[in-house]
Structures are given as structure tokens and as C-alpha cells.
């Protein structure tokens, strides 16, 4: 049996027109099969994307009323911490003054808050360096050299507008999409 | 080819004999047959009748939900029977959902579309205690969990009658033509005019039963319409590919035969 | 360049790899030019179909496992979440669920093909035994998989099947407690079944590999059951059988799709959509359809241990089949009496399947006993005796002579060529 492996087989007919027609048919069939396999693979891949119940919870409403001036709270949004900080007039002034300072990721303070609601700074509490959660949200914690937040993992300093000022982080703390639903109520996401 | 045909016949016999199983299972001991109904959602192209399902949701919310949970479904799933986002938000907000307050104590908050339908009882024991020892089952997959499916649900809802002469019904039990053993702990939940339909449909017991069954069929298989639509495409594609492959096979084998 | 494989591939990248690890040469040898009898009918598709089916089951299973929670209080809910919320979760689950049935349909046809054409006979005994091991692994995997949704049938199926082991004297109860990891089917049982359900398919892949390796040593049997005599009897596997298998795969997928998209729960049982309840047994519990014949054999014996032993024996007897069938002729095409008895056996198996689904009472008990008796009689008595006395039809001289119009000559007269077991 094994000996016959190398033996010649009935060679396929190699007539001209016949071959072209067959090759075309083969090509179309192979293309059809490829489309089919692709269609089978997509549901498998897509099943790893966020499911409907996860997507349905992708927004969070936060009541800001209990947060006093100078305080900050941490809320969960899409499984991540979001810092909500009630800034004092002094902190706002400092953030505005620094608009023209040396900023690794230049952005004005006004672009990071909602107009008329400058006292509320809402940022995703994840250091843009490697994903640690910076400290400084409680008034008792170290807030870094710029009075905002400080990431203890690799020493990134953020200012009172959540902008990166010093350290390895490349970008400012992200501002999540949110909207005011009332005077002291926001919907994040 | 004869072999193939015989094998196919044997296989068919096996499948058919198996197909007979559910009905026998239902009939075991009680010989109950559920009158077959015509449903908008049966057949390979069937879809849920949106108006009926919406009326059915009303029946569920005003009648069934008092005792039965539907914990696998959420308010947002109502989009599948044609409710708008605004309507769903309003419906959800009208329901108070148990949660834990900032003080750590149990409290309630208005629902959001992402919330599951509220269960009427905190747990099975509470449900039994409130229902004379009987447990009102969860309705999420009820239609799939009964051999007769939608027909059985409909038959049960319209099957309440006075017991025939000579049959005594136990304390706290009710006679139903279509329930195994004919004695059910659930009192007839529907009566003519039990709900008032916004679209002016007359709320007869048959109408409400049909509507709520349509709604529960949707809740049991929310994916059905997508499944059937995709199925038609897949089957057509495979027929096309089979033809193509067979033609290629004929060509490849042409010089061998 | 000593030590490198001498690759004949022109493409430099393929050549570089192939010289160091001759996978391409191997593929070319085993699936490219592999000499395959030229007279396969479509029943020879079913091995390839089973392969495809195994791949589909493993692929869907891996993605289902990403969303499944093997815990007694969460398993049912996590399956419902897959059905409702996970993207295409319903598709993955229905494919996996119906895939199990498709797998058994395909493998049962594959086995009956082997029975009809005598594919188990020398030199393919080990190939056949590996197949029986594959069947056993499939049954174990399917059984444990059915437990995972933690519905009523899952729970009570697990209870009844694990209790089979309690039939063994003295150690029986300890075995069952060990299997359960407790005093009833519960969370530890579910957890270990999930672990094993994930493991066994890969063991299955290993045994399938051995099955194919053994097949490629002996070469395939064929509808005539006679050995390949030379190159004129064979065709290269590619393109002839790759394309022929592809036709079968398309038809198979078509049947599969009809179940998945239009009758996904037809082969299942409605009670499994009721969450497991250790306090209430469903009125009529039946295993999945593919276990029904074995279930009928189990119930046909009024003795607990006897029933369990007979059920295991019904598979064990298959492993002995190469030695029980004494006929030198492989294909039923040339065995007029065996051909009839083959269909009697097939009918007996279908009858057993039907009996397994019916309540164990009245006519169904009688029928299942008759069918069980025939099943064992067929293998243990009829086949050994029949081989000695059956007058077989004359065998064709060679495959090419029998199937090629130009090959001339039909069967040689007087059974002169009836030496089917001789080596090619």
C-alpha cells in the first residue's frame, strides 16, 4: 500500500477549453467557501465584544448635590473610576492661569468643563501612563505638586484641571462624555 | 445509492419516532392534547405580531407580574416588540427596583431600561408563603419549557372550567382542562375586561390569553426573528454553494468516470 | 545540509520550513497524493464530516465557555444570558447544542457504513477499536456537556447516569459519592463536569489523530471490500476526494443549518428550560436521543447490575467485532445473508431507540427485550457462525475492473478471485 504512494496516478485531462472552465468553476467555489468560512468566524469573534447587558449599563447618572466645595467623589462608569471634583474658586483660577503654562498635552481648562459649570471637573480616574488609579481624590491624600492628582505608580502629577504636568504620563486625564440633566445631576456616557 | 436511501429512511424513522416523544410526554398519564393555534410567530418566516405582544405586555404587567417573575428579561428588551426608547424609560422609571442605599440599608430606586423586570417576591420561600405553598414559576423561558409551547400556554389560560360531575377539587386548587392532573394552584388569572386595552381591542379572555402568550413567546425567544432571517440567508447561500461544489465535483471527476 | 529534510517545494518560504519540519511534505503525502480507492460512494464522506463537526464543537465550545459560569446557582442564568445578551450567543449555543446531535448522526452513519462494508476486518482491527474509543469519549463528553445548562434534565440525567455506578457491589456507593464530590449531584459535580467537558474534546482530537494515522497505514476500505491491487485502483486524495468531501460538507451544513435556525429545540427536551430542582423529578425523564438505544438496553434487564453491565457490553462487543465476524469477505455487497441481517440489526437499533423514549411498560418492554436479544445474538452468535456457512458472491478481480467501463471484465466466474484479505 505504502509503495504505491509514489506511483503515478491517472493524470487529469489537460485539454484547453475544458481546463479554463474547470479552473473558473474551482475559483468561484473556493471564493464561495471562503465567504462561508468568514461568515462563520464573525459570530465567534463578535461574541467577545461587549454583550447587550453590558452596553445597556454604559451610562451612569450621578447626583452632585452632596459634593461640597473642595470635595471629590469617585463613581463607577463602565467598570472604571470617574473622579467628580467640586473645585473651589481658587482651584479654578489656578487651572485657568496655567492655560498658558508649560503643558505636555496642551488644552485649556474651559475645554475640559461645561460652560457655566466650571466648578465641576469630571475626569476618568485612570492615569494615561499605564492605567493605575491616581490618588488625591480625597482631600487627605497627596495631590502632587500641582494640587490635582498624583499617580504613585510612576510619579505622574496632574493639575486641578486633570492635565498632566510632570512625570511619564503622555496625556491629560480623559474627560468622559457627559451632560447635565439638571443643575446638580449629570449623566455620564 | 440504495444504501444511502435505506440509511436515510432509517434515520428519518429515528427522527420521526423521536418527534413523537414530546407529545407522548405531555400525554403520559393524563392524555391531554392542546388544540393547535395559529401564531404569527410560527413557521420559518413567522414574526411576532407587535400589537398583540404590546397588549400582551400590558396583561403581563397588570396581571401576571403580581405573582410571576421574569428575571431573565429587562425593560430594554421591550424594544423588540416595538416600544420606543422614551416609552421604555417611562415604564422602567415607574417601577421601584430594590437596591442598597448609601447608608447600606435596603431601599428602592426608580428603574432604568437596563434593569431586569422586578420579581414580585424576594425569593422562592417568600413566593410560596404568599401563594398557599405553591411557587409561581418564572415566565422568562416558560414557552420553551413546556412540550406544547405557545399552544399549551394558551390552552391553560382559557382552560378554566367548572369541574365535571364527580370530580372534587382540593382546597385552594382550581379545575383546569389543560393542566396535568386537572388541578392547578393558580386561580383563573383572566376574566373578560380584566385589562383595558389602549388600542380599543375588546379584552376577552381569549384575546388576552392570545396576546400574553405572544408576549411570552417573544420573551422566551427574543432572538427568533433575527435567527429566522439569518437562517433564510444561510440556507440560500448553502444551496448555492452546494450546487457550485457539486458542479466542480462533476468537472473534476469527469475524466475518471 | 545533512540532517535537513530534502524538500521538493519550490516556494522558498515553504521550502525553508519544510526542510526543517516536513509538515508540508506530510500534508502532501497524506492529503495530497494519498492513494485512495477510486470507488468510494458518498457514505465515505462521513469521516470527514465527523472531523468538521469536532472542529465546530470545539470552536463554539471555547467561545461559549468565555460566557458560561460553572456554578449551581449561576449556570442556568449564564446560559440564558448567552442566549439573550451575548452577541450571537444564541447562535453559538444552538450550534453547539445541535452540533452534538449532528455529531452522533454523522458518527452513527459512519459506524453503520463500517459495519456494512466490513471496514473493521483485518488489517483494520485497531482502526475500528480506536473508533469505538472515540465513540465512548464522545458519549462521556456529550453527557457531561448536557449537565452544564443545569436544567431539570441536566440535573436528573446526571443523577440517573452517575447512579449507574452504584450497581457495582461493595464499592458502588463510594464510586458514586466520589463522582459527585458530595452526597448528591451538586455544585462540585457541575464544576468537575465542566472541567472534564472542556478536557475530553482535546483527548478526542488525540484519538482521532491516531484513528487517521492508523487509517493511513492500512489505507481505506471501499464499497467492494477488496484490496487495492495497484495504482489503477486508486486516485490521489486531492482533488478527487477533497472535492467529493466538500459536496458532503455542504449538504451536511444545510441539514445542520435547518435545525439551528428553524428548529433549534426540536432535538432537545423542554424540561431543560426549567432550572434544576433537586426536590422534584420531571414526570418523564429521557436521555438525549443519541443515548436512547443504550438506555433501552439498560431498562430491558430487570436487574440493576445486569442492566448496567449489558449496556456497557453493548459497546464492548463492538470492540470485539473484528474477531467475531469470521467471514473472509468484507463488503455486504457480496454477502447476501449478512446484507439482510445488517438491516435487521439497523432496525433493532432503531427499535431500541424508540423503546428508550417510551415509558418502560407494556409492549415497549417486550420490544426492547427482543431488540436487545437480537443485538447481542447478531454479534455474538450469528456473525461467528454465518462466516463459516454463508455462500458469498464472486468478488471482482480488482476495483478498476469492477468500476471502470473500459476496465473490461466483470467479476471472475466461480469466485476465483475470492481472496479479499490478501495484501495489495
Amino acid at each position: 500500500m505504502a509503495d504505491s504512494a509514489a506511483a503515478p496516478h491517472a493524470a487529469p485531462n489537460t485539454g484547453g477549453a475544458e481546463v479554463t472552465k474547470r479552473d473558473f468553476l474551482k475559483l468561484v467555489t473556493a471564493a464561495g467557501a471562503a465567504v462561508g468560512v468568514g461568515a462563520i468566524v464573525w459570530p465567534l469573534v463578535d461574541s467577545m465584544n461587549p454583550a447587550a447587558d453590558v452596553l445597556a449599563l454604559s451610562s451612569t447618572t450621578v447626583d452632585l448635590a452632596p459634593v461640597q466645595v473642595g470635595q471629590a467623589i469617585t463613581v463607577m462608569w463602565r467598570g472604571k473610576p470617574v473622579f467628580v471634583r467640586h473645585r473651589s474658586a481658587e482651584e479654578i483660577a489656578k487651572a485657568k492661569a496655567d492655560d498658558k503654562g508649560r503643558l505636555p498635552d496642551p488644552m485649556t481648562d474651559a475645554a475640559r468643563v461645561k460652560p457655566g459649570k466650571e466648578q465641576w471637573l469630571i475626569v476618568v480616574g485612570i492615569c494615561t501612563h499605564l492605567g493605575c488609579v491616581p490618588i488625591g481624590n480625597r482631600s487627605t491624600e497627596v495631590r502632587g505638586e500641582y494640587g490635582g492628582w498624583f499617580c504613585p505608580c510612576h510619579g505622574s502629577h496632574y493639575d486641578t484641571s486633570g492635565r498632566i504636568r510632570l512625570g511619564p504620563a503622555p496625556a491629560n486625564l480623559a474627560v468622559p462624555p457627559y451632560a447635565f440633566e439638571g443643575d446638580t445631576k449629570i449623566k455620564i456616557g | 445509492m440504495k444504501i444511502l436511501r435505506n440509511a436515510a429512511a432509517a434515520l428519518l424513522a429515528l427522527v420521526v419516532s423521536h418527534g413523537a416523544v414530546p407529545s407522548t410526554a405531555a400525554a403520559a398519564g393524563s392524555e391531554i392534547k392542546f388544540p393547535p393555534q395559529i401564531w404569527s410567530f410560527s413557521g420559518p418566516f413567522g414574526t411576532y405580531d407587535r400589537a398583540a405582544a404590546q397588549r400582551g405586555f400590558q396583561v403581563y404587567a397588570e396581571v401576571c407580574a403580581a405573582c410571576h417573575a421574569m428575571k431573565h428579561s429587562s425593560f430594554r428588551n421591550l424594544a423588540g416588540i416595538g416600544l420606543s426608547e422614551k416609552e421604555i424609560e417611562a415604564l422602567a422609571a415607574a417601577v421601584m427596583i430594590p437596591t442598597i442605599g448609601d447608608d447600606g440599608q435596603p431601599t428602592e430606586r426608580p428603574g432604568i431600561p437596563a434593569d431586569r423586570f422586578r420579581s414580585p417576591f424576594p425569593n422562592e420561600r417568600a413566593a410560596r408563603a404568599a401563594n398557599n405553598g405553591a411557587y409561581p414559576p418564572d415566565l422568562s423561558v416558560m414557552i420553551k419549557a413546556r412540550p406544547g409551547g405557545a399552544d399549551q400556554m394558551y390552552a391553560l389560560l382559557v382552560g378554566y372550567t367548572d369541574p365535571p360531575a364527580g370530580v372534587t377539587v382540593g382546597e385552594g386548587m382550581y379545575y383546569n382542562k389543560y393542566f396535568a392532573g386537572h388541578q392547578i394552584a393558580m386561580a383563573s388569572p383572566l376574566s373578560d375586561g380584566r385589562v383595558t386595552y389602549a388600542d380599543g381591542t375588546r379584552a376577552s379572555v381569549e384575546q388576552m390569553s392570545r396576546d400574553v402568550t405572544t408576549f411570552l413567546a417573544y420573551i422566551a425567544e427574543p432572538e427568533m426573528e433575527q435567527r429566522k432571517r439569518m437562517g433564510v440567508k444561510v440556507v440560500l447561500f448553502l444551496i448555492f454553494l452546494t450546487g457550485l461544489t457539486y458542479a466542480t465535483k462533476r468537472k473534476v471527476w469527469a475524466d475518471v468516470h | 545540509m545533512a540532517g535537513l529534510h530534502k524538500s521538493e517545494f519550490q516556494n522558498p518560504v515553504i521550502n525553508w520550513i519544510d526542510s526543517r519540519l516536513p509538515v508540508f511534505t506530510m500534508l502532501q503525502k497524506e492529503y495530497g497524493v494519498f492513494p485512495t480507492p477510486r470507488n468510494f460512494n458518498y457514505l465515505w464522506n462521513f469521516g470527514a464530516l465527523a472531523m468538521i463537526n469536532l472542529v465546530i464543537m470545539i470552536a463554539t465550545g471555547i467561545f461559549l465557555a468565555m460566557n458560561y459560569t460553572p456554578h449551581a446557582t449561576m449556570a442556568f442564568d449564564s446560559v440564558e444570558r448567552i442566549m439573550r445578551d451575548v452577541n450571537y450567543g444564541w447562535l453559538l449555543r444552538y450550534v453547539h447544542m445541535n452540533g452534538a446531535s449532528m455529531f452522533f448522526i454523522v458518527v452513527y452513519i459512519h459506524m453503520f457504513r463500517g459495519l456494512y462494508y466490513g471496514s473493521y476486518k483485518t488489517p483494520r482491527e485497531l482502526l475500528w477499536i480506536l473508533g469505538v474509543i472515540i465513540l465512548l469519549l464522545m458519549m462521556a463528553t456529550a453527557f457531561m456537556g448536557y449537565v452544564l445548562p443545569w436544567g431539570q434534565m441536566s440535573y436528573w440525567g446526571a443523577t440517573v447516569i452517575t447512579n449507574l455506578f452504584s450497581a457495582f457491589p461493595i464499592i458502588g456507593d463510594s464510586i458514586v459519592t466520589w463522582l459527585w464530590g458530595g452526597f448528591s449531584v451538586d455544585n462540585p459535580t457541575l464544576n468537575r463536569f465542566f472541567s472534564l467537558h472542556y478536557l475530553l474534546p482535546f483527548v478526542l482530537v488525540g484519538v482521532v489523530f491516531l484513528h487517521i494515522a492508523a487509517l493511513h497505514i492500512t489505507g481505506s476500505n471501499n464499497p467492494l471490500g477488496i484490496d487495492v491491487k495497484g495504482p489503477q485502483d486508486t486516485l490521489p486524495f486531492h482533488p478527487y476526494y477533497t472535492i467529493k468531501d466538500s459536496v458532503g460538507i455542504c449538504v451536511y451544513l444545510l441539514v445542520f443549518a435547518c435545525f439551528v435556525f428553524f428548529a433549534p429545540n426540536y432535538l432537545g427536551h423542554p424540561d431543560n428550560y426549567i432550572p434544576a430542582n433537586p426536590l422534584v423529578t420531571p414526570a418523564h425523564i429521557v436521555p438525549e436521543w443519541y443515548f436512547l438505544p443504550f438506555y433501552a438496553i439498560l431498562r430491558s434487564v430487570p436487574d440493576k447490575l445486569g442492566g448496567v453491565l449489558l449496556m456497557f457490553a453493548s459497546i464492548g462487543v463492538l470492540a470485539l467485532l473484528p474477531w467475531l465476524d469470521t467471514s473472509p469477505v468484507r463488503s455486504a455487497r457480496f454477502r447476501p445473508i449478512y446484507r439482510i441481517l445488517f438491516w435487521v440489526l439497523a432496525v433493532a437499533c432503531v427499535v431500541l431507540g424508540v423503546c428508550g423514549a417510551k415509558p418502560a411498560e407494556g409492549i415497549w418492554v417486550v420490544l426492547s427485550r427482543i431488540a436487545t436479544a437480537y443485538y447481542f445474538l447478531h454479534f455474538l452468535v450469528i456473525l461467528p457462525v454465518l462466516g463459516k456457512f454463508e455462500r458469498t458472491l464472486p468478488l471482482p478481480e480488482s476495483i478498476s475492473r469492477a468500476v471502470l467501463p473500459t476496465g473490461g471484465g466483470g467479476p471472475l466466474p466461480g469466485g476465483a478471485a475470492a481472496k479479499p484479505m490478501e495484501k495489495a
Side-chain angles (χ1 to χ4, degrees):
Chain A
M1 204 51 217
D3 296 343
S4 59
H9 293 287
N13 183 355
T14 40
E18 186 67 12
V19 164
T20 335
K21 196 174 168 192
R22 176 159 76 193
D23 288 351
F24 176 70
L25 199 58
K26 271 186 182 172
L27 206 66
V28 175
T29 309
V35 169
V37 169
I40 290 169
V41 168
W42 172 243
L44 297 176
V45 173
D46 194 34
S47 77
M48 290 175 71
N49 275 320
D53 57 338
V54 177
L55 292 175
L57 279 174
S58 59
S59 64
T60 306
T61 31
V62 185
D63 183 13
L64 303 176
V67 187
Q68 302 300 315
V69 175
Q71 278 189 340
I73 57 167
T74 306
V75 295
M76 280 281 274
W77 173 67
R78 293 185 181 173
K80 293 181 283 199
V82 169
F83 295 152
V84 179
R85 188 143 159 183
H86 195 166
R87 300 191 293 179
S88 62
E90 191 184 321
E91 285 173 327
I92 299 172
K94 196 172 159 202
K96 287 199 165 146
D98 283 352
D99 279 353
K100 294 187 180 62
R102 199 187 67 83
L103 295 171
D105 181 13
M107 203 174 175
T108 62
D109 185 58
R112 299 174 59 78
V113 293
K114 301 286 175 200
K117 300 278 185 187
E118 281 91 358
Q119 70 272 40
W120 296 109
L121 175 68
I122 289 129
V123 290
V124 176
I126 292 189
C127 180
T128 54
H129 180 218
L130 290 170
C132 297
V133 178
I135 56 173
N137 219 32
R138 286 164 203 249
S139 47
T140 53
E141 287 173 346
V142 175
R143 286 186 159 171
E145 287 181 22
Y146 294 87
W149 290 271
F150 170 67
C151 184
C153 287
H154 305 95
S156 292
H157 298 254
Y158 295 91
D159 66 13
T160 52
S161 189
R163 290 173 297 201
I164 180 66
R165 302 301 293 272
L166 189 66
N172 303 331
L173 292 178
V175 177
Y178 70 95
F180 276 87
E181 291 199 323
D183 207 30
T184 56
K185 199 174 166 199
I186 54 164
K187 185 179 178 186
I188 308 173
Chain B
M1 283 321 264
K2 183 161 168 265
I3 311 282
L4 258 187
R5 216 168 35 240
N6 286 343
L11 189 70
L12 194 70
L14 199 71
V15 168
V16 168
S17 70
H18 179 76
V21 174
S23 60
T24 342
S30 50
E31 301 295 333
I32 297 175
K33 292 258 185 295
F34 309 108
Q37 306 291 323
I38 294 163
W39 298 106
S40 57
F41 49 86
S42 46
F45 303 102
T47 54
Y48 296 111
D49 176 342
R50 298 291 191 279
Q54 287 182 21
R55 289 194 301 270
F57 169 66
Q58 189 185 345
V59 177
Y60 157 78
E62 293 181 21
V63 185
C64 318
C67 300
H68 291 273
M70 206 162 68
K71 64 171 183 172
H72 296 301
S73 277
S74 308
F75 292 102
R76 64 189 160 81
N77 295 131
L78 295 174
I81 57 169
L83 295 191
S84 71
E85 209 170 314
K86 283 272 166 288
E87 289 170 310
I88 294 171
E89 275 176 16
L91 277 168
V95 178
M96 295 306 284
I97 304 292
T99 183
I100 302 291
D102 288 338
D103 57 358
Q105 298 305 309
T107 177
E108 291 187 329
R109 60 169 173 81
I112 56 167
D115 283 318
R116 304 292 172 101
F117 286 108
R118 185 186 169 154
S119 300
F121 303 104
N123 52 57
E124 185 178 334
R125 276 193 206 175
R128 284 189 189 277
N131 288 284
N132 215 359
Y135 177 52
D138 189 281
L139 295 178
S140 312
V141 281
M142 184 54 84
I143 301 289
K144 283 203 281 189
R146 293 294 178 271
D151 291 344
Q152 183 170 357
M153 170 65 71
Y154 178 80
L156 182 88
L157 289 173
V158 300
Y160 286 91
T161 57
D162 292 327
V167 175
T168 38
V169 176
E171 176 74 26
M173 301 297 273
Y174 304 87
Y175 188 84
N176 190 305
K177 277 192 288 186
Y178 297 111
F179 192 71
H182 299 304
Q183 297 201 26
I184 183 168
M186 173 172 75
S188 176
L190 301 173
S191 53
D192 285 341
R194 177 72 177 75
V195 301
T196 309
Y197 284 138
D199 64 2
T201 307
R202 203 178 76 80
S204 64
V205 169
E206 287 76 14
Q207 183 66 44
M208 287 184 288
S209 302
R210 177 163 282 279
D211 291 344
V212 80
T213 302
T214 304
F215 172 69
L216 290 176
Y218 164 73
I219 288 298
E221 297 190 289
E223 88 296 343
M224 186 206 72
E225 292 183 0
Q226 189 199 1
R227 167 159 61 78
K228 287 177 177 172
R229 269 200 312 274
M230 193 189 285
V232 171
K233 285 181 209 148
V234 168
V235 165
L236 287 177
F237 172 76
L238 282 174
I239 289 173
F240 168 72
L241 192 63
T242 306
L244 212 54
T245 313
Y246 186 66
T248 311
K249 188 256 168 194
R250 289 285 298 257
K251 279 267 176 283
V252 169
W253 279 75
D255 44 25
V256 177
H257 284 311
Chain C
M1 294 297 272
L4 282 190
H5 172 74
K6 200 168 147 14
S7 178
E8 285 165 11
F9 286 90
Q10 299 299 315
N11 182 307
V13 177
I14 290 181
N15 189 291
W16 187 89
I17 297 171
D18 200 53
S19 308
R20 285 151 182 83
L21 184 69
V23 282
F24 293 101
T25 300
M26 199 193 85
L27 272 180
Q28 175 71 5
K29 179 164 170 273
E30 304 299 340
Y31 282 102
V33 298
F34 190 74
T36 313
R38 63 193 308 148
N39 60 332
F40 279 0
N41 56 34
Y42 274 102
L43 284 172
W44 261 262
N45 274 352
F46 284 83
L49 295 184
M51 271 290 267
I52 295 281
N53 207 318
L54 180 58
V55 171
I56 290 174
M57 293 306 276
I58 289 179
T60 50
I62 285 171
F63 284 88
L64 283 171
M66 293 180 189
N67 288 293
Y68 170 76
T69 311
H71 189 280
T73 58
M74 290 180 268
F76 189 91
D77 293 3
S78 74
V79 171
E80 274 310 312
R81 182 178 168 273
I82 289 172
M83 292 296 292
R84 288 155 194 274
D85 290 335
V86 173
N87 303 319
Y88 295 106
W90 58 268
L91 180 59
L92 299 184
R93 200 250 174 157
Y94 278 154
V95 166
H96 200 72
M97 190 171 129
N98 287 285
S101 285
M102 291 302 291
F103 206 174
F104 277 95
I105 291 174
V106 164
V107 164
Y108 284 157
I109 294 176
H110 187 61
M111 288 170 64
F112 274 98
R113 188 268 286 158
L115 289 175
Y116 189 86
Y117 294 108
S119 301
Y120 48 85
K121 291 187 190 180
T122 188
R124 300 186 184 84
E125 304 95 326
L126 192 57
L127 175 62
W128 173 262
I129 291 172
L130 285 166
V132 174
I133 293 170
I134 289 173
L135 176 67
L136 280 172
L137 281 170
M138 275 176 65
M139 293 171 89
T141 310
F143 160 66
M144 287 190 275
Y146 193 58
V147 175
L148 302 185
W150 210 239
Q152 273 290 65
M153 280 293 163
S154 300
Y155 184 89
W156 291 101
T159 301
V160 169
I161 301 299
T162 48
N163 262 316
L164 290 181
F165 293 92
S166 71
F168 294 106
I170 306 168
I171 51 164
D173 286 333
S174 311
I175 293 179
V176 175
T177 309
W178 176 76
L179 283 174
W180 288 341
F183 302 104
S184 64
V185 173
D186 207 340
N187 194 49
T189 327
L190 176 60
N191 251 300
R192 62 190 60 184
F193 277 18
F194 177 60
S195 169
L196 293 172
H197 182 71
Y198 208 120
L199 167 72
L200 287 186
F202 297 97
V203 177
L204 205 49
V205 169
V207 183
V208 166
F209 183 80
L210 296 179
H211 190 67
I212 294 169
L215 172 73
H216 282 216
I217 294 297
T218 61
S220 297
N221 187 25
N222 65 81
L224 293 172
I226 58 174
D227 285 327
V228 167
K229 298 277 196 311
Q232 72 281 6
D233 287 349
T234 65
L235 293 169
F237 190 85
H238 180 76
Y240 294 101
Y241 286 110
T242 41
I243 189 66
K244 193 162 181 171
D245 281 345
S246 299
V247 175
I249 288 167
C250 288
V251 175
Y252 151 87
L253 287 176
L254 205 48
V255 175
F256 199 165
C258 287
F259 275 120
V260 167
F261 292 105
F262 299 111
N265 292 303
Y266 180 74
L267 295 170
H269 200 290
D271 276 321
N272 223 27
Y273 283 108
I274 303 172
N277 180 353
L279 301 178
V280 183
T281 310
H284 186 67
I285 79 164
V286 283
E288 289 291 84
W289 71 265
Y290 38 80
F291 291 141
L292 289 175
F294 302 100
Y295 193 56
I297 292 176
L298 171 80
R299 296 195 308 184
S300 69
V301 187
D303 176 67
K304 186 173 173 182
L305 181 59
V308 172
L309 290 179
L310 207 63
M311 189 182 73
F312 286 121
S314 68
I315 298 166
V317 76
L318 291 175
L320 298 177
L321 180 58
W323 296 276
L324 290 172
D325 186 349
T326 51
S327 174
V329 176
R330 291 198 190 99
S331 175
R333 201 175 277 186
F334 306 105
R335 300 183 62 190
I337 303 176
Y338 175 75
R339 190 160 61 206
I340 297 164
L341 294 175
F342 168 87
W343 288 110
V344 176
L345 179 74
V347 169
C349 290
V350 173
V351 167
L352 281 173
V354 175
C355 290
K358 303 288 181 187
E361 56 194 30
I363 182 75
W364 302 114
V365 176
V366 181
L367 270 178
S368 63
R369 286 189 183 154
I370 295 172
T372 303
Y374 181 76
Y375 182 91
F376 285 98
L377 208 64
H378 179 93
F379 289 114
L380 294 174
V381 180
I382 296 177
L383 288 190
V385 175
L386 185 66
K388 308 275 189 223
F389 296 103
E390 189 177 26
R391 282 178 63 96
T392 55
L393 302 179
L395 292 168
E397 189 187 337
S398 74
I399 295 173
S400 52
R401 283 211 156 220
V403 299
L404 289 183
T406 51
L412 291 188
K419 287 184 289 176
M421 300 279 194
E422 70 180 357
K423 290 274 174 275

